Amino acid sequence: MVKRFDGREWDEIRKMEAKVGIIPNANGSAMFKFGDTYAIAAVYGPKLAKVPTKYDKAILRVRYNMLTFSVPERKKPAPSRREIELSEVIKRALEPAIFLEEFPGTIIDVYVDIINADAGTRTAGINAASLALADAGIPMKDLVVAVAVGKVGERIVIDLTKEEEDYDSEKLKGTEKEKYIEYYGEGKATDIPVAIIPLTKEFTLIQLDGEIDKEDLEKALKLAQEKSIEIRNVLEKAIKEKYKETKL
Ligand code: ADP
């Protein structure tokens, strides 16, 4: 039976790995992997803003960066428009979970770096950042978890790879990968990265790249909500692992 390009089921997330406290010099840090997509995050703060801020809560700043060697062809090191936008997207996904009002006059800096990219870097980055914030002891409603869902051809799937994001049944015809059309069906791909606060099932991010009808969108979002628990368990385990290693 033909399955997804990498042999997964439609509702199966790539192998996840998470580790907390990987950067001793940061206040909080973590790494998170979805298969070959590998993100690290470091948190500095809350630190007093040099110039008094007029805000009655902490300012969250996020910088997302894809390392030059994270993609098959060297990426220019200067921040691209895409990276500037993703920094904002990740910030907005995290903000609703953090009790920023507990730290007025301060700044919390979050640095997300993508070591290796095979799609889903913003979602892996959110998971790493959320773990790093927890590691820094910053109070949150719950961890924010993220994953991409979407449609490849006619199939709803979770955690798309780059090969799936680029799917186009027309282009596969006559190639050795033609057999996959039997699994995915005709058409192109629609990618929907989402972030969720598992405790409340609230979405803090929904983006959509492609086309999808309302019924399929609802199915895809439901899938993400169901699977958010699985991701949360991986994150929670990583936090517990760190404290297991701490000698009291
Ligand atoms: P996400 O990584 O969150 O899925 P995109 O949809 O923008 O975000 O990117 C999808 C994938 O395309 C990335 O994960 C990466 O594998 C690839 N990609 C993005 N930008 C570049 C780039 N500048 N050079 C090569 N590949 C890239």
Side-chain angles (χ1 to χ4, degrees):
M1 239 291 272
V2 190
K3 287 191 184 162
R4 292 169 73 175
F5 289 127
D6 56 10
R8 275 182 295 153
E9 302 289 345
W10 67 281
D11 63 348
E12 195 180 337
I13 300 174
R14 284 176 281 183
K15 184 172 182 292
M16 290 183 274
E17 266 180 67
K19 194 166 165 60
V20 163
I22 56 162
I23 302 162
N25 286 340
N27 295 119
S29 61
M31 75 83 164
F32 183 87
K33 278 186 196 178
F34 278 132
D36 288 336
T37 292
Y38 184 164
I40 61 169
V43 169
Y44 292 86
K47 55 194 178 187
L48 276 178
K50 289 209 178 88
V51 180
T53 71
K54 59 181 187 309
Y55 301 105
D56 52 6
K57 56 181 187 174
I59 296 171
L60 181 69
R61 296 195 298 203
V62 175
R63 198 239 39 209
Y64 162 99
N65 172 49
M66 237 170 53
L67 295 173
T68 49
F69 51 78
S70 64
V71 285
E73 276 189 42
R74 178 187 176 275
K75 186 203 139 279
K76 282 187 191 156
S80 62
R81 286 181 58 168
R82 172 182 173 274
E83 287 168 304
I84 294 165
E85 187 196 324
L86 286 190
S87 299
E88 181 62 27
V89 161
I90 295 173
K91 177 175 111 97
R92 290 195 198 178
L94 296 168
E95 240 170 11
I98 309 173
F99 292 112
L100 292 170
E101 62 281 5
E102 290 193 16
F103 306 100
T106 69
I107 293 177
I108 301 170
D109 275 324
V110 180
Y111 297 96
V112 173
D113 284 283
I114 307 303
I115 312 279
N116 198 75
D118 180 16
T121 63
R122 80 195 67 192
T123 49
I126 291 169
N127 293 331
S130 147
L131 269 181
L133 285 162
D135 186 38
I138 291 168
M140 290 187 283
K141 263 196 223 174
D142 191 4
L143 292 161
V144 179
V145 310
V147 68
V149 284
K151 207 170 164 184
V152 178
E154 292 152 64
R155 250 194 212 266
I156 304 279
V157 294
I158 193 158
D159 188 25
L160 286 73
T161 58
K162 176 79 176 133
E163 192 174 20
E164 289 181 322
E165 273 192 9
D166 295 341
Y167 183 84
D168 182 347
S169 57
E170 284 308 313
K171 288 195 181 144
L172 292 190
K173 286 179 187 162
T175 73
E176 61 183 21
K177 299 224 161 162
E178 187 166 10
K179 64 175 188 222
Y180 288 101
I181 302 174
E182 193 191 313
Y183 180 79
Y184 292 112
E186 298 285 342
K188 294 186 182 179
T190 300
D191 183 36
I192 313 166
V194 304
I196 301 171
I197 299 178
L199 184 71
T200 56
K201 292 245 183 333
E202 175 189 348
F203 285 99
T204 62
L205 169 79
I206 300 179
Q207 289 187 292
L208 199 152
D209 184 10
E211 288 176 12
I212 194 161
D213 62 30
K214 191 165 172 276
E215 201 180 312
D216 280 343
L217 176 63
E218 277 169 7
K219 261 191 229 163
L221 294 180
K222 196 160 167 274
L223 173 65
Q225 274 179 328
E226 282 166 12
K227 289 286 176 166
S228 66
I229 308 299
E230 207 174 293
I231 305 168
R232 197 191 180 288
N233 288 343
V234 172
L235 302 189
E236 195 180 311
K237 194 162 162 258
I239 296 174
K240 286 187 179 152
E241 276 299 312
K242 178 176 167 180
Y243 291 101
K244 213 161 75 182
E245 286 165 17
T246 308
K247 290 189 182 69
L248 294 172

